[in-house]
Amino acid sequence: MAQNTGKARKAKAPSATRRLRLGLGVMLTLLLVVGGKLFLVQGIDVGGMAEAALQNRLTPVELPAERGSILDANGTVLASSVIRYNVVVDQRVNTKTETFRRFDEVTEKHVKVSRDQGISELAVLLGMDQKTLKDAVTGTQPYYIVAKDIKPDVEDRISKLQIPGIVTVGTSKRVYPNGSVAGGIVGFLRDGTTGQAGLEQTQDEVLKGVPGKRLFEIGADGLRIPVGVDQLTPAVNGKDIKLTLNSDLQYFAQQAIQSQRDKLSAEWGVVIVQDIKTGDIVAMADTNSPDPNDPGKVDAQDRGIRAVTAAYEPGSVEKMITAAALIEEGKSSPLEKFTIPPSYTVDGQTFNDSFAHGTEDRTLAGILGWSMNTGTVMAGQRLSKEQRYNWLKKFGIGEAPDVGLPAEAKGILTPHEQWDGRQEYTVLFGQGVSQSTLQTVRAFQSIGNNGVMLQPRLIDSYIAPDGTVEKVPAQDPRQIVSPDTARQVRDILESAVTEGQIKEAGLDGYRVGAKTGTSQSPCDDGTAGFCGFTASMVGMAPMDDPRFIVEVVLQRPKGDIYGISNGPVFRSVLSQALRTYNVPPSTGEPVRLPQYAK
């Protein structure tokens, strides 16, 4: 029996060993499977699970680029940006958080803070009622803006509260320190981000720069993981834009034209001051100029820049082009004699002057000096219709100045083949053609600059964030007439002031040349006929070495049009420009071409 028992025990031993080996094998197999799975998930991540989990933890924050500033010619800030912050909450995280850990910079230890305490501290910083704030941070929305326009010092204190689910997002706020000074030119933003008017609109891509981005990991408690992903793509700030405008002169011009507009109850008024030698626009003033900080305070039609957008019949200021064409073509001269009847008829079309007169012997200078339509048609008919059209075109009529502003008017210059029997003559004295104030100024600039027309300049340069300056040169200088023709036309313009009808344009100490214009203004409602007048005066000084052009325009002033004068605004703005730029007084004797022929 004993022997049999021993054999039985020996028979059971191998069986136990096998079971042990089998168990170890199963365990090793399971470890291999689990290890392999872990390797696949965490190492190879065939299914993308780890990557998906990482993406869920990553939080992107846009870093706004600082919008470039707009400066005047002397560096005065007309538009700039300041950094502000929005306080944003992920309500899902904040709602679930009863307590959180905060690093105490004094003790250099983490302390436990209740959610209510954090909300109370945040409410104080935001100046909000605690219950209102608690309601705002409680809910299921992943992105809810709690407060806007927070200054950087307050944002820093909010960040130090370290409340889960609460982050600050940087934004850029646009400010306009000079208010309505050049307000229409500078323009404003839509929703605080995108240019909607003026240079803010046309130069938006240059000004706004390229936003950056920061990407970091957030844990389940809403706090940043210290050793997690933290990627930074810096923002590229926008460029500054330096203008040719002088903000002091701009302010003066705006005040002058606004006062005249209000005095005469005109619909609107415009003043432009241009440097003849460079083409720089140093002032371009509209009435009712908007304050970009609050553009809604003025009517929508006042938010643009009528100096470039409003096209109208210029009237007699266009006679300068007729005179220049006649002289350049060799068809007349300033002292040529013309016998002018009380009215003049050609091809069945009769023309009269704004004042009654008998038959008179006038010089070409006298025809312009007294703004006679009769004499202008008599002399101008020596030019063919094609020549009349080509000279208007050559002086830039029908071509937008392109100074970088929105909706610049080309005006209307109908091809000469389409002119009717009257229009072919009225274009000689500025009717049947339309143009903007800046187009008229550009034409006169070429006469002041010895016949060379310069592209008007409003943008002087672009300044990169690193300080690199990209100068915008004067573009496309064109010799319109010869220097001698330009000089003769200047003599005619000066004689209109010294001997002619425009003595009100005279300025003590400076020789001045000028021309006035009056035209009927078509009704805005589309009905036939005319509704008022457009009155303008354009001139330059000093005539011994022309430096500045000034044009003043009033649309539909009330009262007797022949009693309305732009002279006071013209003189005050021209005088201010000459003083601002320290232009020395004239030294030579003024030109006095006779107005009557002997």
Side-chain angles (χ1 to χ4, degrees):
M1 294 291 296
Q3 289 180 350
N4 291 336
T5 302
K7 289 181 179 179
R9 288 175 178 173
K10 288 180 180 180
K12 290 179 180 179
S15 177
T17 302
R18 283 196 299 271
R19 287 198 298 271
L20 179 61
R21 288 176 180 174
L22 181 62
L24 288 173
V26 171
M27 290 179 62
L28 288 173
T29 301
L30 289 173
L31 286 173
L32 286 172
V33 170
V34 172
K37 185 67 174 178
L38 287 173
F39 176 72
L40 288 173
V41 172
Q42 297 186 350
I44 301 177
D45 192 20
V46 175
M49 296 173 61
E51 177 64 23
L54 174 61
Q55 292 301 321
N56 286 333
R57 295 193 302 273
L58 290 178
T59 298
V61 175
E62 184 177 281
L63 304 176
E66 183 175 338
R67 192 174 180 87
S69 297
I70 300 176
L71 315 169
D72 85 339
N74 298 316
T76 300
V77 176
L78 300 175
S80 64
S81 294
V82 294
I83 297 299
R84 292 292 185 264
Y85 293 86
N86 293 338
V87 179
V88 178
V89 60
D90 183 339
Q91 295 176 340
R92 301 169 305 176
V93 173
N94 192 272
T95 300
K96 296 176 181 178
T97 303
E98 294 299 328
T99 61
F100 61 92
R101 293 178 300 124
R102 176 189 297 166
F103 182 75
D104 190 321
E105 294 181 351
V106 177
T107 63
E108 296 185 348
K109 294 181 180 179
H110 282 88
V111 296
K112 184 178 288 187
V113 180
S114 71
R115 176 175 183 261
D116 286 344
Q117 179 184 338
I119 291 175
S120 175
E121 294 168 335
L122 180 60
V124 172
L125 292 178
L126 296 178
M128 292 179 65
D129 175 73
Q130 184 172 339
K131 183 179 183 306
T132 302
L133 178 60
K134 188 172 184 178
D135 291 342
V137 301
T138 303
T140 59
Q141 296 190 47
Y143 189 94
Y144 183 81
I145 298 177
V146 176
K148 294 182 178 181
D149 200 25
I150 302 301
K151 294 182 178 180
D153 59 329
V154 177
E155 185 276 336
D156 183 60
R157 294 163 67 186
I158 291 172
S159 296
K160 290 178 179 177
L161 295 180
Q162 303 172 38
I163 304 174
I166 300 287
V167 295
T168 54
V169 179
T171 63
S172 182
K173 181 180 180 180
R174 201 65 164 164
V175 294
Y176 304 90
N178 279 269
S180 64
V181 177
I185 295 171
V186 171
F188 50 88
L189 304 182
R190 180 179 66 251
D191 300 328
T193 57
T194 305
Q196 187 171 0
L199 293 170
E200 293 278 34
Q201 175 184 334
T202 62
Q203 305 297 307
D204 191 55
E205 290 298 318
V206 174
L207 289 164
K208 71 181 182 181
V210 181
K213 184 172 70 173
R214 187 160 199 171
L215 197 65
F216 51 84
E217 280 188 77
I218 293 290
D221 58 359
L223 297 177
R224 184 183 301 181
I225 300 174
V227 295
V229 173
D230 191 346
Q231 298 174 352
L232 175 65
T233 303
V236 178
N237 293 333
K239 295 180 180 180
D240 294 342
I241 299 178
K242 184 178 180 182
L243 307 182
T244 59
L245 294 178
N246 180 298
S247 57
D248 291 335
L249 184 60
Q250 177 75 20
Y251 173 80
F252 185 93
Q254 285 184 206
Q255 295 299 307
I257 191 61
Q258 187 69 48
S259 176
Q260 187 76 339
R261 178 263 179 198
D262 294 345
K263 177 182 177 182
L264 298 175
S265 299
E267 288 189 6
W268 51 263
V270 166
V271 176
I272 294 178
V273 185
Q274 185 185 37
D275 189 322
I276 290 172
K277 298 183 183 302
T278 64
D280 290 355
I281 299 168
V282 295
M284 188 158 60
D286 282 81
T287 51
N288 294 343
S289 179
D291 180 348
N293 294 297
D294 190 4
K297 282 189 174 181
V298 301
D299 294 336
Q301 62 264 29
D302 291 323
R303 296 174 200 161
I305 313 98
R306 289 192 176 97
V308 299
T309 63
Y312 51 88
E313 290 191 345
S316 293
V317 296
E318 211 85 323
K319 291 171 181 173
M320 180 279 292
I321 295 178
T322 301
L326 286 167
I327 294 170
E328 186 75 4
E329 294 282 357
K331 296 183 180 296
S332 188
S333 62
L335 297 181
E336 183 184 356
K337 174 183 175 180
F338 293 86
T339 300
I340 312 296
S343 65
Y344 182 66
T345 301
V346 58
D347 294 337
Q349 302 293 327
T350 299
F351 300 93
N352 297 288
D353 293 316
S354 61
F355 61 97
H357 62 83
T359 299
E360 298 178 346
D361 291 335
R362 293 275 190 166
T363 61
L364 181 64
I367 290 172
L368 265 72
W370 289 81
S371 203
M372 302 176 76
N373 294 341
T374 52
T376 302
V377 171
M378 183 180 292
Q381 69 183 93
R382 297 177 181 179
L383 299 166
S384 69
K385 288 199 297 184
E386 185 175 3
Q387 285 176 319
R388 297 170 211 176
Y389 174 84
N390 287 340
W391 277 106
L392 287 166
K393 192 80 173 173
K394 198 170 185 179
F395 271 97
I397 311 306
E399 174 192 343
D402 189 19
V403 294
L405 291 171
E408 293 185 34
K410 293 172 57 178
I412 300 175
L413 178 59
T414 307
H416 64 87
E417 298 90 350
Q418 300 175 24
W419 288 346
D420 61 31
R422 189 166 185 82
Q423 186 180 13
E424 65 175 285
Y425 296 107
T426 60
V427 295
L428 295 167
F429 53 83
Q431 294 181 20
V433 60
S434 73
Q435 61 207 52
S436 70
T437 305
L438 187 55
Q439 285 176 296
T440 302
V441 168
R442 176 175 60 181
F444 273 75
Q445 179 274 330
S446 64
I447 295 300
N449 195 39
N450 289 322
V452 178
M453 180 184 288
L454 299 176
Q455 168 70 12
R457 296 175 71 249
L458 179 61
I459 298 175
D460 175 80
S461 55
Y462 297 100
I463 306 172
D466 63 2
T468 303
V469 177
E470 178 188 343
K471 192 80 171 179
V472 178
Q475 298 291 320
D476 191 24
R478 289 177 279 177
Q479 189 78 47
I480 306 301
V481 295
S482 68
D484 185 58
T485 294
R487 178 191 58 77
Q488 293 184 64
V489 175
R490 290 199 302 271
D491 288 348
I492 290 175
L493 295 175
E494 185 173 7
S495 297
V497 177
T498 58
E499 302 294 307
Q501 203 178 29
I502 320 176
K503 293 182 175 59
E504 61 178 344
L507 202 61
D508 290 343
Y510 294 93
R511 291 168 52 189
V512 178
K515 186 73 191 76
T516 56
T518 304
S519 63
Q520 292 178 309
S521 177
C523 299
D524 292 333
D525 59 7
T527 58
F530 298 93
C531 297
F533 295 86
T534 305
S536 59
M537 177 180 286
V538 56
M540 63 188 75
M543 297 305 285
D544 38 350
D545 185 17
R547 178 66 190 278
F548 289 109
I549 292 173
V550 171
E551 181 166 18
V552 181
V553 178
L554 282 178
Q555 176 73 336
R556 297 176 184 151
K558 300 297 188 293
D560 180 6
I561 189 62
Y562 299 110
I564 290 172
S565 170
N566 284 326
V569 177
F570 174 83
R571 289 195 306 273
S572 65
V573 173
L574 178 57
S575 178
Q576 184 70 16
L578 295 168
R579 285 195 302 269
T580 298
Y581 289 88
N582 298 313
V583 178
S586 299
T587 55
E589 289 296 317
V591 172
R592 298 180 180 277
L593 297 180
Q595 307 291 286
Y596 294 87
K598 296 180 180 179

